Amino acid sequence: MGGSSCGPGAHLVHLWPPHFAFSDHHPWDLGPHSGAALLVSLASEVQDLHLAQRKEMATGFSKGPSLGLLPDVPSLMETLSYSYCYVGIMTGPFFRYRTYLDWLEQPFPGAVPSLRPLLRRAWPAPLFGLLFLLSSHLFPLEAVREDAFYARPLPARLFYMIPVFFAFRMRFYVAWIAAECGCIAAGFGAYPVAAKARAGGGPTLQCPPPSSPEKAASLEYDYETIRNIDCYGTDFCVRVRDGMRYWNMTVQWWLAQYVYKSAPARSYVLRSAWTMLLSAYWHGLHPGYYLSFLTIPLCLAAEGRLESALRGRLSPGGQKAWDWVHWFLKMRAYDYMCMGFVLLSLGDTVRYWASVYFCVHILALAALLLGLALGGGGPGRRKTAPSAASLAPEKLREE
């Protein structure tokens, strides 16, 4: 597989210029939408190749092909072809040049399954689409911009953000599942399961290339490299930090590699704030983006301090109850922040948040202060039990 990555055959081995988001008014994808982002990834891959070549020349010793390394520097035409690849031209997902090259150079493309994985991935989309249509009809966003909305009682105003975010999730679930299905139909992003591919980054383990169509067909493949949404994880994970990882997963990989790791800070919360700031900038200049994105670091700090201070002191039953409460508050925090994304303007966002008394900001500040008073550590240092990752049984996780 070119020795560089583990792909479906031997020697095979957004962010999207011109890959676009759905709309400037609905971007909950936590990531950039311009060609610069995709080319940043390509530039990094080229730099890795140059560094490997220099090291080889300095030592006079070649270790052989490395995982994920490009065979050559792409030409201008190859770069343009990658940038305008039809597979991700509208909604993504993001993919590295190495992934694109693996797809082009598959020696046995007929051995890569696509129909069954596509059907397995697509089956929830019609349900999500119906739920979106129903929820958006019953709870239209435009109602929040009307004066009459603010005459409603406080419980009604608080509740309204829940179906707004629900409709938002359902729409993006449909769009991203459809985008993944487009990749699957083309056999794009398929790697042997043994390669343990991850969203955005591709294979994490080397595996021997199949030497014949029969051996290629005998392998089990997955499409984790182009997996962009984990609907189960988004809805059922316990923490705010985990919720980000399950949403627009390929872009999350890009942000972690090229923004988070280069942040001018060492703490997890400050690095996250830097990442959220740049992510808001990539989305556009609407104040709602910045207000919502920069609320996330506060929530991360609050949940990290309070969880590390209290959860470990509870009994197993108490920890389970804690996780349910934590999950409920996590979902309400995302409901609250989503209002900034969909309302966009400073006036509309602040007006809504003020009508619910900035409840999430106040609750997060209170939790942060309590966690600090109890000596809780930061979110980057704590260790938590795997049971806190999600609430629903693992068997319910979608394929």
Side-chain angles (χ1 to χ4, degrees):
M1 304 174 194
S4 301
S5 68
C6 212
H11 302 293
L12 56 107
V13 240
H14 71 125
L15 6 288
W16 305 299
H19 299 45
F20 303 106
F22 309 121
S23 164
D24 189 41
H25 299 284
H26 305 290
W28 186 263
D29 55 342
L30 301 181
H33 298 150
S34 81
L38 185 145
L39 296 178
V40 163
S41 175
L42 177 56
S44 178
E45 292 184 81
V46 171
Q47 182 184 42
D48 290 342
L49 174 62
H50 286 319
L51 291 175
Q53 291 172 337
R54 290 173 188 171
K55 185 175 181 180
E56 182 178 328
M57 292 177 62
T59 61
F61 174 73
S62 175
K63 296 192 303 180
S66 300
L67 182 67
L69 201 64
L70 298 181
D72 299 292
V73 177
S75 66
L76 175 60
M77 184 58 68
E78 289 169 331
T79 300
L80 291 174
S81 297
Y82 165 54
S83 300
Y84 286 87
C85 177
Y86 75 92
V87 171
I89 196 118
M90 288 302 296
T91 59
F94 163 77
F95 48 86
R96 301 169 65 215
Y97 185 81
R98 180 77 245 188
T99 304
Y100 167 74
L101 193 62
D102 289 350
W103 175 58
L104 292 180
E105 298 184 354
Q106 291 176 15
F108 309 114
V112 178
S114 59
L115 180 58
R116 287 187 178 181
L118 187 152
L119 295 176
R120 191 162 57 240
R121 186 60 178 136
W123 76 263
L127 174 61
F128 292 152
L130 289 174
L131 290 173
F132 160 68
L133 293 174
L134 179 63
S135 57
S136 60
H137 174 73
L138 294 175
F139 302 95
L141 175 64
E142 287 305 311
V144 184
R145 295 190 171 97
E146 298 172 356
D147 292 339
F149 177 85
Y150 297 95
R152 301 182 185 185
L154 176 61
R157 298 196 303 270
L158 278 168
F159 172 78
Y160 208 86
M161 63 184 180
I162 296 175
V164 167
F165 184 44
F166 178 82
F168 194 88
R169 296 199 311 279
M170 294 304 105
R171 179 180 55 189
F172 273 78
Y173 288 172
V174 172
W176 277 330
I177 287 174
E180 289 180 37
C181 287
C183 294
I184 295 171
F188 190 98
Y191 290 97
V193 172
K196 295 189 180 299
R198 59 178 175 175
T204 60
L205 295 177
Q206 292 275 19
C207 62
S211 56
S212 67
E214 292 75 18
K215 290 185 178 180
S218 68
L219 294 174
E220 183 181 359
Y221 296 89
D222 65 36
Y223 287 86
E224 288 300 311
T225 299
I226 50 86
R227 185 178 180 87
N228 213 36
I229 184 67
D230 184 335
C231 305
Y232 167 98
T234 299
D235 281 0
F236 290 103
C237 70
V238 172
R239 306 183 187 94
V240 171
R241 67 183 298 180
D242 294 327
M244 293 190 298
R245 293 172 180 170
Y246 293 127
W247 183 272
N248 206 357
M249 296 162 67
T250 59
V251 173
Q252 294 301 328
W253 181 88
W254 187 94
L255 288 171
Q257 289 293 118
Y258 306 118
V259 179
Y260 179 86
K261 291 182 179 180
S262 62
R266 297 189 64 182
S267 78
Y268 171 76
V269 171
L270 291 179
R271 283 187 169 193
S272 297
W274 172 254
T275 305
M276 294 300 101
L277 177 63
L278 293 184
S279 195
Y281 171 74
W282 277 104
H283 280 88
L285 299 179
H286 293 289
Y289 301 157
Y290 297 86
L291 292 172
S292 297
F293 270 124
L294 295 180
T295 300
I296 292 176
L298 173 61
C299 295
L300 293 174
E303 73 173 3
R305 292 286 181 178
L306 196 58
E307 184 178 20
S308 64
L310 292 179
R311 187 177 185 275
R313 302 178 185 181
L314 302 176
S315 66
Q319 290 186 1
K320 188 67 175 177
W322 173 282
D323 291 341
W324 276 106
V325 173
H326 194 166
W327 167 81
F328 177 83
L329 294 176
K330 181 265 298 186
M331 292 303 295
R332 303 295 74 78
Y334 277 123
D335 295 337
Y336 181 87
M337 289 183 283
C338 178
M339 298 305 289
F341 279 87
V342 295
L343 293 173
L344 294 176
S345 73
L346 177 64
D348 287 341
T349 301
V350 173
R351 186 186 189 190
Y352 177 78
W353 283 355
S355 78
V356 295
Y357 300 101
F358 297 96
C359 56
V360 168
H361 286 101
I362 292 173
L363 183 61
L365 282 171
L368 176 60
L369 293 174
L370 179 59
L372 288 170
L374 295 175
R381 297 194 298 271
R382 75 185 190 283
K383 294 182 180 180
T384 53
S387 60
S390 64
L391 297 172
E394 183 64 22
K395 66 181 180 180
L396 295 181
R397 183 178 292 274
E398 67 202 297
E399 289 294 326

